[in-house]
């Protein structure tokens, strides 16, 4: 028997959508060894169960009287609102009354709750959060950390790789998942201080199928299944990736906007801070790119931008 | 009179596409005060000029005998191949014989050349490279650094902001460009050590129209015109953004792949490293998300992934 706890009050559309999710799950799955424990406003929950015709046989309700808002301070809220759905949900989980806990509520509070209500796995330096990344080959990737640890040590990234490998193998059902270190170049030795120091650790970690460095462009291809980075980098990648979906919904495939992702039209990359304009182009540059690099150089000169940069750095 | 130097040998399709670019530029622009100096194999260049009917009146050719390949070691190549198109191109630029230099060749060599052949602007801590980012509102953004400085100090990011502001104002013609610090949260105080220390510097920098932190999801919207980050972060954002174009070319707008960017189908984010499964959902979660979070929790339990994580961290 497994018992899954759900914060019925968490999320912008709670409790209705939380409960509709429960209904959808129950309709599609017939795991009789599974119970669901809902934490929240019991009257509201019962009302919705009735109105939405949710099969209630496998549902337990734990009445809580408080709700932690989306913008409350995580630590303070958890301390002060001891009868909130999140606080009680974690108590149940810590005591073994439930086996898992789900919430779409205040993310910070959920993380603080996870870190302080629960023990960490022995030997874990720091917990980590991960996210699924859709791969263009139809597969599924995992990226971690996506935000819990903004600054990381190499040993942490090495553990993230192990955690991600195990999770990918068992939960995502990826056989022998390929681990990639998110970096700014493919060769060993590339990177910032963190990734340079992490590479040898991953290479020596016998628990991993380490395939080396991967780059930003490999996020959606099949090069690596488990993509390892610090929480700062991962959070930015994740939020950027999420925004792509919104864009794809509003743009036709040959829309002028998507065409603007053709980096050739911008020509090249100016090096700023040296005494003359230098434009660095892509290896794949064709006529348009070259033409536009010239245009940029011309513009830089015409506008005397170097003098302006100089003035800005050393105001007279 | 301005004289723009071009490495005719740089790029995967050089010299042909470099020269076609020159032609395209010359056809579309009638700046008589502009000359173009091509560095490279003079015979090959002349042959293409003839074959492609490129107007040669404003073109000078500087014959060079060597080419630095795309995968050569930057410093060594520049030192040893003194008669390469890139080395000579930089000599001309350093001596004032040309006013700008463009190449689509070996990027590392171009950067090394820029750093060591040219003086830096006085007061500059470190040069920086930037890139254009298409904004969905039709505007144009600038992101910097995109790869020259993998590890940065707050003072450098502050200078990048100033450099970017000036460049955006004058070259991109953005009036009073909004500067955003790329970060993992909107509020002041969020971030890693670097961004936390950078924020107050940007806030106090009177040369900037600083609008605060921006997140990964703001890369393509109009929130900030100048987006400031370290070179590690910027390189990953840039390469990720570039890959979107390739994806958009092969996918219809409602393609199954693009639909997979709907993060709701993945439900939530498991916290790994704590003793029980914890799934953190989006605030915007609806039924599908909740249903899938349950599915994930169930899967985590069924597969006893926590035991496996534990075993992986503390092998018996």
């Amino acid at each position: 028997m497994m018992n899954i706890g759900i914060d019925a009050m968490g999320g912008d559309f709670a409790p209705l959508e939380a409960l509709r999710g429960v209904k959808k799950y129950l309709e599609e799955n017939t795991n009789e060894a599974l119970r669901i424990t809902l934490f929240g406003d019991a009257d509201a929950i019962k009302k919705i169960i009735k109105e939405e015709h949710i099969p209630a046989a496998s549902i337990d309700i734990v009445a809580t009287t408080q709700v932690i808002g989306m913008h409350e301070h995580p630590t303070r809220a958890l301390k002060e609102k001891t009868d909130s759905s999140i606080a009680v949900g974690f108590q149940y989980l810590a005591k073994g009354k439930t086996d898992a806990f789900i919430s779409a509520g205040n993310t910070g509070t959920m993380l603080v709750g996870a870190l302080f209500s629960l023990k960490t796995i022995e030997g874990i330096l720091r917990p980590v959060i991960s996210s699924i990344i859709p791969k263009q080959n139809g597969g599924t990737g995992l990226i971690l950390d996506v935000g819990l640890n903004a600054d990381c040590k190499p040993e942490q990234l090495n553990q993230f790789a192990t955690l991600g490998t195990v999770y990918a193998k068992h939960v995502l059902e990826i056989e022998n998942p390929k681990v990639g270190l998110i970096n700014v170049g493919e060769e060993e030795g590339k990177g910032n201080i963190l990734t340079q120091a992490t590479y040898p650790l991953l290479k020596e970690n016998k628990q991993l199928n380490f395939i080396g460095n991967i780059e930003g462009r490999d996020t959606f291809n099949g090069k690596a299944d488990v993509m390892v980075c610090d929480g700062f980098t991962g959070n930015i990648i994740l939020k950027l990736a999420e925004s792509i979906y919104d864009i794809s919904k509003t743009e036709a495939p040959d829309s002028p906007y998507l065409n603007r992702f053709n980096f050739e039209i911008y020509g090249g990359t100016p090096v700023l801070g040296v005494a003359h304009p230098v434009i660095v182009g892509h290896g794949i540059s064709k006529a348009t790119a070259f033409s536009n690099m010239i245009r940029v150089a011309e513009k830089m000169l015409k506008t005397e931008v170097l003098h302006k940069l100089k003035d800005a750095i050393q105001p007279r």
Side-chain angles (χ1 to χ4, degrees), chain A:
Chain A
M1 179 65 75
M2 56 179 80
N3 192 327
I4 295 180
I6 300 176
D7 169 16
M9 313 311 281
D12 298 345
F13 308 104
L16 182 59
E17 290 294 334
L19 284 164
R20 283 186 176 160
V22 171
K23 183 186 182 192
K24 191 167 153 60
Y25 175 81
L26 292 173
E27 283 169 357
E28 294 168 3
N29 296 274
T30 51
N31 181 351
E32 288 184 7
L34 186 139
R35 290 198 69 77
I36 286 175
T37 302
L38 298 171
F39 299 88
D41 179 335
D43 290 340
I45 291 170
K46 282 177 195 159
K47 189 160 171 273
I48 294 168
I49 286 178
K50 202 174 166 189
E51 283 171 3
E52 300 278 324
H53 309 289
I54 301 174
S58 56
I59 296 176
D60 299 306
I61 300 170
V62 175
T64 55
T65 56
Q66 293 174 302
V67 175
I68 294 175
M70 291 308 252
H71 297 290
E72 289 193 51
H73 187 276
T75 322
R76 202 180 312 141
L78 209 55
K79 214 169 164 181
E80 289 172 4
K81 293 191 171 173
T82 51
D83 199 40
S84 62
S85 50
I86 291 181
V88 178
F90 272 116
Q91 282 167 25
Y92 269 65
L93 185 60
K95 288 182 188 159
K97 292 185 191 174
T98 52
D99 302 303
F101 186 45
I102 292 168
S103 174
N106 185 312
T107 303
T109 304
M110 280 298 289
L111 298 178
V112 170
L115 296 180
F116 295 104
S117 308
L118 309 178
K119 288 179 198 155
T120 54
I121 291 176
E122 220 187 308
I124 283 279
L125 300 169
R126 286 279 299 168
V128 56
I129 51 178
S130 63
S131 181
I132 291 297
I133 293 285
K135 294 287 193 176
Q136 214 180 357
N137 61 9
T140 291
L142 188 76
I143 180 170
L144 72 175
D145 180 18
V146 293
L148 206 46
N149 311 282
D151 291 288
C152 288
K153 297 205 168 68
E155 294 73 26
Q156 287 173 276
L157 263 60
N158 192 26
Q159 275 200 347
F160 298 168
T162 301
L163 292 168
T165 292
V166 173
Y167 187 85
K169 201 178 286 180
H170 295 285
V171 179
L172 306 179
E173 297 177 1
I174 300 169
E175 212 179 314
N176 196 22
K178 292 172 283 180
V179 175
L181 176 63
I182 295 177
N183 210 333
V184 295
E186 291 186 344
E187 306 83 6
E188 181 169 359
K190 290 265 184 176
N192 57 12
I193 293 169
L194 175 64
T195 55
Q196 284 175 352
T198 301
Y199 193 104
L201 299 184
L202 298 182
K203 206 172 160 184
E204 284 160 29
N205 184 337
K206 292 197 176 70
Q207 297 177 300
L208 309 180
N209 175 15
F210 180 54
I211 56 113
N213 291 324
I214 58 171
E215 298 185 81
R217 69 168 68 92
D218 301 314
T219 306
F220 304 117
N221 67 29
K223 212 165 157 186
D225 303 303
V226 175
M227 303 179 281
V228 176
C229 60
D230 64 81
F232 185 87
T233 305
N235 182 277
I236 284 164
I237 290 176
L238 179 62
K239 287 181 181 163
L240 178 47
E242 288 178 348
S243 74
I244 296 171
Y245 177 68
D246 301 324
I247 291 171
S248 79
K249 285 285 128 187
T250 55
E251 301 286 338
D254 261 319
S255 78
Y257 179 62
L258 288 178
N259 277 319
R260 295 177 64 226
F261 280 87
N262 180 355
F263 279 76
E264 189 178 23
I265 63 179
Y266 302 109
T269 303
V271 184
L272 300 184
V274 292
H276 300 279
V278 175
I279 321 279
V280 183
H282 261 289
I284 52 158
S285 294
K286 292 194 173 181
T288 308
F290 280 98
S291 168
N292 285 326
M293 285 192 273
I294 298 169
R295 219 182 282 267
V296 170
E298 185 198 15
K299 193 70 180 275
M300 287 180 75
L301 293 169
K302 260 194 185 164
T303 57
E304 299 189 301
V305 71
L306 284 157
H307 289 285
K308 286 162 183 137
L309 294 171
K310 202 175 155 184
D311 287 346
I313 294 298
Q314 291 258 313
R316 282 175 206 136

